[in-house]
Amino acid sequence: MIELTKVILENEMDLILAHKQSMRLAELTGLSLSAQTTFATAVSEVSRSSIANNITTTLTLFVSGKKEQPKFIYAVLEDNRHNFSETRDEGFNYAQKLVSNINVSTADAGTRIELKYRLAHNIRIDDFIIEKWTIQFNNDPGISPYEEIKRKNRQLIELADRLRESEEQYRSLTDSLPIMIFSLNKKGALTFANKWVESYTGATIENINNNQWQSILHPEDLAKTWENWKTNAESPEAIVVPEQRVKDIRTGEYRWHTGVSIAIVNENGSVMSRNNFLVDIHAQKLIEQTLKDNIELKQTKAELEEYITLLNQSNKQLEQFAYVTSHDLQEPLRKISFYSDMLGHKFRHAMPPEALVFFENLISASDRMRLLVKDVLSYSTMQKNEFDILDLNVIAAEIIQDLEIAITEKNALITIGELPTIQGNSRQIKQLFENLLSNALKFARADQSPVVNINAVVAADVATITFADNGIGFEEIYVEKMFDLFQQLHPKGIYKGTGIGLALCKKIVDLHKGSIKAEGKPGEGAVFIITLPLTQS
């Protein structure tokens, strides 16, 4: 069946509209005047019964598909009644005398009454005819103001549904990006913010609007930011957002950000609102500040200019929505390491102690950045590949051998029970085992040697594998966040890492149609529980 039009029946005026539309359908399909009247009257009688009982009913008119034989026109009435009685409904009984093909069905959603009238065997129905009829039903001027209002209301509802779907798609896209994306109206009030805004600042849209960003922006940057907004809010051109410090709720630190503000204009070119994008440039600002405050480091500015240029280019790519997982970032990192080594080799002995601290911080930041890019690349390029038959005992033994030095240094005791054979991707499963075992070693307690037990249980073609340790553990409230990207439970500097390892574990498990969860208590260790199907369909 092909839908041509729909009418919401709520009052007597709608009953007139239902009769008219039914007559119109019968006329378009070539039925005789008496047949038109018969069909339309049957539809009206069934509709009258619903309206008389104050029941909102949807009337939908259909025609048979192109290939259906024989062909019919259909009127389908749907409401939320569950106690409909064919014998007691006068309108239904009268309609039965007019149209023999009438059926009633009741389901959880309510009652559905279908009337159909057979068409002549030579009636032609094709794409052109269907399009023509649809236009006539939905776009021809109404014969009464009421009908026109109903039609406009239906069109508005359809438009609202499409807008809602578009908004959901936009929100899903912006929530997936690790930058702050938000919309401001002409008065500077937030009308939309992606998930990153709330997770970074800890403030909702309502909170931000109520205090006008005072709890988020650094006090020294607040006035300058609002002045820039007032100056450029009406400009239809894209503008660069001034550098400002935004408070990271997770650390309490104000971090430097900048970005772009793009105008949304109407048909007349007037600005209705602005979409804004903020990216973190804190590392760049720290380097700039270091160069300003230290004379000795100013003398090395020439050697660092290329690094700063590359860093600026990276920030520009972020402003243009290029994600940090691009493999092109690896080359600048190699150059950073090269120039840092040269700088240390040639000038380390000439640096005062304070400058040497800054230089060591620079080297450490370079190492962290290289590790972060490596982890992000691993995460973003991780995808479903060919699966092989894997003996997890062999995988575990290889990981133990790879981590032999770390295990020896920690004086760790690793016990492995009998593990099953599964179908999976060898490289990814090795990465999974390595990340979990490395975590157990990294988060060991200072007063005890690490003990890690790896065991498995197989039931119903699913392997449940546990990694249990006696480490520092964690608070249960962090369980939901710990598998997200860039989530670290401990302040930076205490434990090395990028906050990607467990997110990578989750992605690997997801690609194998499994699951991962964690349990733990502070000071009592942690248990990571993985379920993996034995075979991949």
mmCIF file of all heavy atoms in Angstrom, residues 27-47:
data_model
loop_
_atom_site.group_PDB
_atom_site.id
_atom_site.type_symbol
_atom_site.label_atom_id
_atom_site.label_comp_id
_atom_site.label_asym_id
_atom_site.label_seq_id
_atom_site.Cartn_x
_atom_site.Cartn_y
_atom_site.Cartn_z
ATOM 1 N N GLU A 27 -12.557 9.602 -6.437
ATOM 2 C CA GLU A 27 -12.656 10.299 -7.726
ATOM 3 C C GLU A 27 -11.373 10.145 -8.542
ATOM 4 O O GLU A 27 -11.408 9.866 -9.738
ATOM 5 C CB GLU A 27 -12.955 11.777 -7.478
ATOM 6 C CG GLU A 27 -13.005 12.604 -8.754
ATOM 7 C CD GLU A 27 -13.087 14.095 -8.471
ATOM 8 O OE1 GLU A 27 -13.097 14.491 -7.282
ATOM 9 O OE2 GLU A 27 -13.115 14.874 -9.437
ATOM 10 N N LEU A 28 -10.216 10.327 -7.884
ATOM 11 C CA LEU A 28 -8.925 10.228 -8.588
ATOM 12 C C LEU A 28 -8.706 8.844 -9.182
ATOM 13 O O LEU A 28 -8.056 8.694 -10.218
ATOM 14 C CB LEU A 28 -7.782 10.570 -7.627
ATOM 15 C CG LEU A 28 -7.662 12.042 -7.214
ATOM 16 C CD1 LEU A 28 -6.597 12.197 -6.136
ATOM 17 C CD2 LEU A 28 -7.319 12.917 -8.410
ATOM 18 N N THR A 29 -9.228 7.808 -8.526
ATOM 19 C CA THR A 29 -9.006 6.438 -8.998
ATOM 20 C C THR A 29 -10.062 5.980 -9.998
ATOM 21 O O THR A 29 -10.103 4.811 -10.375
ATOM 22 C CB THR A 29 -8.976 5.472 -7.808
ATOM 23 O OG1 THR A 29 -10.154 5.654 -7.016
ATOM 24 C CG2 THR A 29 -7.753 5.714 -6.949
ATOM 25 N N GLY A 30 -10.939 6.892 -10.407
ATOM 26 C CA GLY A 30 -11.860 6.596 -11.498
ATOM 27 C C GLY A 30 -13.136 5.898 -11.104
ATOM 28 O O GLY A 30 -13.839 5.367 -11.974
ATOM 29 N N LEU A 31 -13.475 5.880 -9.812
ATOM 30 C CA LEU A 31 -14.729 5.249 -9.413
ATOM 31 C C LEU A 31 -15.909 6.122 -9.837
ATOM 32 O O LEU A 31 -15.800 7.353 -9.959
ATOM 33 C CB LEU A 31 -14.754 5.039 -7.900
ATOM 34 C CG LEU A 31 -13.774 3.993 -7.339
ATOM 35 C CD1 LEU A 31 -13.886 3.941 -5.830
ATOM 36 C CD2 LEU A 31 -14.014 2.635 -7.956
ATOM 37 N N SER A 32 -17.043 5.508 -10.033
ATOM 38 C CA SER A 32 -18.255 6.238 -10.400
ATOM 39 C C SER A 32 -18.696 7.097 -9.232
ATOM 40 O O SER A 32 -18.267 6.909 -8.086
ATOM 41 C CB SER A 32 -19.359 5.256 -10.770
ATOM 42 O OG SER A 32 -19.731 4.488 -9.630
ATOM 43 N N LEU A 33 -19.585 8.044 -9.518
ATOM 44 C CA LEU A 33 -20.051 8.950 -8.470
ATOM 45 C C LEU A 33 -20.740 8.184 -7.348
ATOM 46 O O LEU A 33 -20.553 8.480 -6.166
ATOM 47 C CB LEU A 33 -21.010 9.985 -9.071
ATOM 48 C CG LEU A 33 -21.573 11.012 -8.083
ATOM 49 C CD1 LEU A 33 -20.432 11.799 -7.433
ATOM 50 C CD2 LEU A 33 -22.539 11.953 -8.789
ATOM 51 N N SER A 34 -21.524 7.171 -7.705
ATOM 52 C CA SER A 34 -22.192 6.397 -6.657
ATOM 53 C C SER A 34 -21.193 5.628 -5.816
ATOM 54 O O SER A 34 -21.331 5.530 -4.588
ATOM 55 C CB SER A 34 -23.204 5.421 -7.288
ATOM 56 O OG SER A 34 -22.533 4.496 -8.138
ATOM 57 N N ALA A 35 -20.159 5.086 -6.475
ATOM 58 C CA ALA A 35 -19.113 4.362 -5.737
ATOM 59 C C ALA A 35 -18.326 5.322 -4.851
ATOM 60 O O ALA A 35 -17.946 4.983 -3.718
ATOM 61 C CB ALA A 35 -18.192 3.639 -6.707
ATOM 62 N N GLN A 36 -18.062 6.526 -5.365
ATOM 63 C CA GLN A 36 -17.366 7.537 -4.560
ATOM 64 C C GLN A 36 -18.151 7.829 -3.287
ATOM 65 O O GLN A 36 -17.605 7.862 -2.175
ATOM 66 C CB GLN A 36 -17.194 8.828 -5.361
ATOM 67 C CG GLN A 36 -16.319 8.719 -6.595
ATOM 68 C CD GLN A 36 -16.337 9.997 -7.425
ATOM 69 O OE1 GLN A 36 -16.536 11.089 -6.895
ATOM 70 N NE2 GLN A 36 -16.154 9.859 -8.736
ATOM 71 N N THR A 37 -19.468 8.028 -3.468
ATOM 72 C CA THR A 37 -20.320 8.357 -2.330
ATOM 73 C C THR A 37 -20.391 7.203 -1.341
ATOM 74 O O THR A 37 -20.349 7.402 -0.114
ATOM 75 C CB THR A 37 -21.731 8.705 -2.828
ATOM 76 O OG1 THR A 37 -21.664 9.757 -3.789
ATOM 77 C CG2 THR A 37 -22.627 9.116 -1.665
ATOM 78 N N THR A 38 -20.483 5.979 -1.865
ATOM 79 C CA THR A 38 -20.555 4.800 -1.000
ATOM 80 C C THR A 38 -19.302 4.688 -0.134
ATOM 81 O O THR A 38 -19.369 4.509 1.097
ATOM 82 C CB THR A 38 -20.713 3.530 -1.851
ATOM 83 O OG1 THR A 38 -21.940 3.600 -2.573
ATOM 84 C CG2 THR A 38 -20.708 2.293 -0.974
ATOM 85 N N PHE A 39 -18.140 4.792 -0.761
ATOM 86 C CA PHE A 39 -16.865 4.664 -0.026
ATOM 87 C C PHE A 39 -16.722 5.785 1.006
ATOM 88 O O PHE A 39 -16.395 5.541 2.175
ATOM 89 C CB PHE A 39 -15.704 4.683 -1.016
ATOM 90 C CG PHE A 39 -14.350 4.599 -0.372
ATOM 91 C CD1 PHE A 39 -13.909 3.422 0.225
ATOM 92 C CD2 PHE A 39 -13.514 5.704 -0.328
ATOM 93 C CE1 PHE A 39 -12.665 3.349 0.818
ATOM 94 C CE2 PHE A 39 -12.267 5.635 0.264
ATOM 95 C CZ PHE A 39 -11.845 4.453 0.840
ATOM 96 N N ALA A 40 -16.981 7.030 0.570
ATOM 97 C CA ALA A 40 -16.806 8.167 1.470
ATOM 98 C C ALA A 40 -17.787 8.112 2.631
ATOM 99 O O ALA A 40 -17.455 8.460 3.769
ATOM 100 C CB ALA A 40 -16.964 9.474 0.694
ATOM 101 N N THR A 41 -19.027 7.649 2.361
ATOM 102 C CA THR A 41 -20.023 7.554 3.433
ATOM 103 C C THR A 41 -19.622 6.497 4.456
ATOM 104 O O THR A 41 -19.766 6.693 5.675
ATOM 105 C CB THR A 41 -21.409 7.226 2.845
ATOM 106 O OG1 THR A 41 -21.772 8.223 1.894
ATOM 107 C CG2 THR A 41 -22.463 7.154 3.945
ATOM 108 N N ALA A 42 -19.088 5.364 3.976
ATOM 109 C CA ALA A 42 -18.642 4.312 4.897
ATOM 110 C C ALA A 42 -17.519 4.827 5.793
ATOM 111 O O ALA A 42 -17.505 4.582 7.013
ATOM 112 C CB ALA A 42 -18.176 3.094 4.097
ATOM 113 N N VAL A 43 -16.573 5.547 5.208
ATOM 114 C CA VAL A 43 -15.482 6.117 6.001
ATOM 115 C C VAL A 43 -16.025 7.109 7.022
ATOM 116 O O VAL A 43 -15.627 7.120 8.194
ATOM 117 C CB VAL A 43 -14.447 6.804 5.073
ATOM 118 C CG1 VAL A 43 -13.396 7.537 5.902
ATOM 119 C CG2 VAL A 43 -13.772 5.787 4.159
ATOM 120 N N SER A 44 -16.988 7.951 6.582
ATOM 121 C CA SER A 44 -17.559 8.954 7.486
ATOM 122 C C SER A 44 -18.274 8.310 8.663
ATOM 123 O O SER A 44 -18.188 8.782 9.807
ATOM 124 C CB SER A 44 -18.530 9.851 6.719
ATOM 125 O OG SER A 44 -17.859 10.570 5.706
ATOM 126 N N GLU A 45 -19.006 7.224 8.421
ATOM 127 C CA GLU A 45 -19.762 6.578 9.494
ATOM 128 C C GLU A 45 -18.830 6.007 10.553
ATOM 129 O O GLU A 45 -19.086 6.137 11.754
ATOM 130 C CB GLU A 45 -20.661 5.487 8.903
ATOM 131 C CG GLU A 45 -21.855 5.993 8.124
ATOM 132 C CD GLU A 45 -22.765 6.863 8.972
ATOM 133 O OE1 GLU A 45 -22.970 6.528 10.163
ATOM 134 O OE2 GLU A 45 -23.257 7.886 8.471
ATOM 135 N N VAL A 46 -17.776 5.352 10.116
ATOM 136 C CA VAL A 46 -16.821 4.808 11.099
ATOM 137 C C VAL A 46 -16.128 5.943 11.839
ATOM 138 O O VAL A 46 -15.904 5.886 13.051
ATOM 139 C CB VAL A 46 -15.792 3.904 10.394
ATOM 140 C CG1 VAL A 46 -14.780 3.372 11.409
ATOM 141 C CG2 VAL A 46 -16.495 2.737 9.696
ATOM 142 N N SER A 47 -15.806 7.017 11.118
ATOM 143 C CA SER A 47 -15.158 8.171 11.747
ATOM 144 C C SER A 47 -16.088 8.844 12.743
ATOM 145 O O SER A 47 -15.660 9.287 13.819
ATOM 146 C CB SER A 47 -14.731 9.177 10.675
ATOM 147 O OG SER A 47 -13.867 8.593 9.735
#
